[in-house]
Amino acid sequence: MRVLVTGGAGFIGGNLAESLVRAGHDVTAVDNLDPYYDTGIKQRAVDAAAAAAEDGAGSYEFVEGDVRNAALIDELVGDAAVVYHQAAQAGVRTSVDDPRKPNAINVDGTLNVLDAARETEIERVVLASSSSVYGKPEYLPYDENHPTTPVSPYGVSKLAADQYARVYHEVYGLPTVSLRYFTVYGPRMRPNMAISNFVSRCLNGEPPVVYGDGTQTRDFTYVDDVVGVNRQLLRDDAADGEILNVGSTDTIDIRSLAELIRDELAPDLEIEYAAAREADAEHTHADVGKARALLGYDPSTTIREGVREFIRWYRANRDWYEPLVLRS
């Protein structure tokens, strides 16, 4: 199958593109290589997918381009049977500093993808949304009917994008599925995330730093589980027109996460605390009942298993990855 992955050099998009190539699909990845975080990580993602193609599975083409370029997106979408729209300006705190950039990429860029797709006979557009759309919890776990009151411009932009996808399905009959990801982590993750920072500091004999009092909770989702549900949507139409939570169903508070990583790597270190960061959510916890009912989604990686797997990957790739973490 011919597949387009926007944001295909990013963390989730890169892992997805590589997995699809290894499964024998013909993948085009488009990414603007924005230096929001070090582009060296993105180049590793491109190289991994290209290596998968050289192994004799599917084919792979990388296009450096931007989802804000409507003409380019028209051309690329027109050649695809399925589009995975992973491209986005990530970062809650970044969006607080500059709300217009995430709007231009996450909203206008999404409209470019949707407009291009509705002019074709495309089988499906799968959109990467975010748990940031929910904002402050009125109850937990979040189900898809929970009120959406995002607390950051990033969350607002992702909410607008997944609602556009829903409306394009209802108004134009475009097959769309929006997946609201809950704190995805794993190999090649952005270097400025809590897990990568905790691992780096502990490996270097420095105490992990928790922002706030550490009682904030997160539903951390291992990237392989996210890739798996995306791949199922290549041919499964059971969720067309739907918005689905994709989480782990498991939560951990940030202090316990820091302790888990500390105990794995440097048990004698003490946890340090710093002021909480602006616009960070207090709690996230996914109800994945809808994804389970429609797609049989069953996340298989616990936070302990995922952290250990990430630590193994980090150690194997420490020479190039750790300098990026230390600079973040």
Side-chain angles (χ1 to χ4, degrees), residues 93 183 185 189 192-199 202 207-220 250-263 271-277 280-284 303 307:
R93 290 181 292 277
T183 318
Y185 71 103
M189 68 191 293
N192 61 343
M193 304 294 283
I195 291 175
S196 52
N197 277 301
F198 290 165
V199 170
C202 289
V209 177
V210 171
Y211 293 93
D213 61 9
T215 60
Q216 313 95 305
T217 60
R218 292 290 181 273
D219 191 330
F220 287 98
D250 188 19
T251 62
I252 188 170
D253 64 77
I254 301 300
R255 179 173 57 225
S256 296
L257 175 67
E259 291 170 349
L260 169 63
I261 293 171
R262 185 271 314 272
D263 292 347
I271 308 296
E272 291 187 358
Y273 295 87
R277 289 175 164 175
D280 277 350
E282 283 294 312
H283 304 285
T284 67
I303 184 64
V307 162

Side-chain angles (χ1 to χ4, degrees), residues 146-302:
H146 187 283
T148 47
T149 52
V151 296
S152 68
Y154 169 75
V156 171
S157 72
K158 297 302 282 185
L159 177 60
D162 76 25
Q163 292 301 310
Y164 270 122
R166 177 187 60 79
V167 166
Y168 270 57
H169 173 76
E170 293 181 1
V171 174
Y172 305 114
L174 180 66
T176 64
V177 182
S178 293
L179 302 179
R180 288 176 175 169
Y181 298 150
F182 281 69
T183 318
V184 186
Y185 71 103
R188 297 198 302 262
M189 68 191 293
R190 293 201 330 256
N192 61 343
M193 304 294 283
I195 291 175
S196 52
N197 277 301
F198 290 165
V199 170
S200 175
R201 291 184 67 86
C202 289
L203 282 173
N204 287 286
E206 299 175 354
V209 177
V210 171
Y211 293 93
D213 61 9
T215 60
Q216 313 95 305
T217 60
R218 292 290 181 273
D219 191 330
F220 287 98
T221 313
Y222 195 63
V223 67
D224 287 357
D225 289 323
V226 172
V227 167
V229 71
N230 274 281
R231 281 183 52 177
Q232 182 173 346
L233 290 167
L234 268 176
R235 294 187 173 89
D236 194 329
D237 63 1
D240 283 356
E242 299 290 349
I243 296 171
L244 306 176
N245 288 338
V246 174
S248 70
T249 75
D250 188 19
T251 62
I252 188 170
D253 64 77
I254 301 300
R255 179 173 57 225
S256 296
L257 175 67
E259 291 170 349
L260 169 63
I261 293 171
R262 185 271 314 272
D263 292 347
E264 285 281 328
L265 297 173
D268 294 335
L269 293 175
E270 296 291 332
I271 308 296
E272 291 187 358
Y273 295 87
R277 289 175 164 175
E278 188 177 16
D280 277 350
E282 283 294 312
H283 304 285
T284 67
H285 185 193
D287 180 336
V288 299
K290 187 175 178 181
R292 181 178 291 117
L294 291 175
L295 300 173
Y297 174 63
D298 184 21
S300 59
T301 308
T302 69

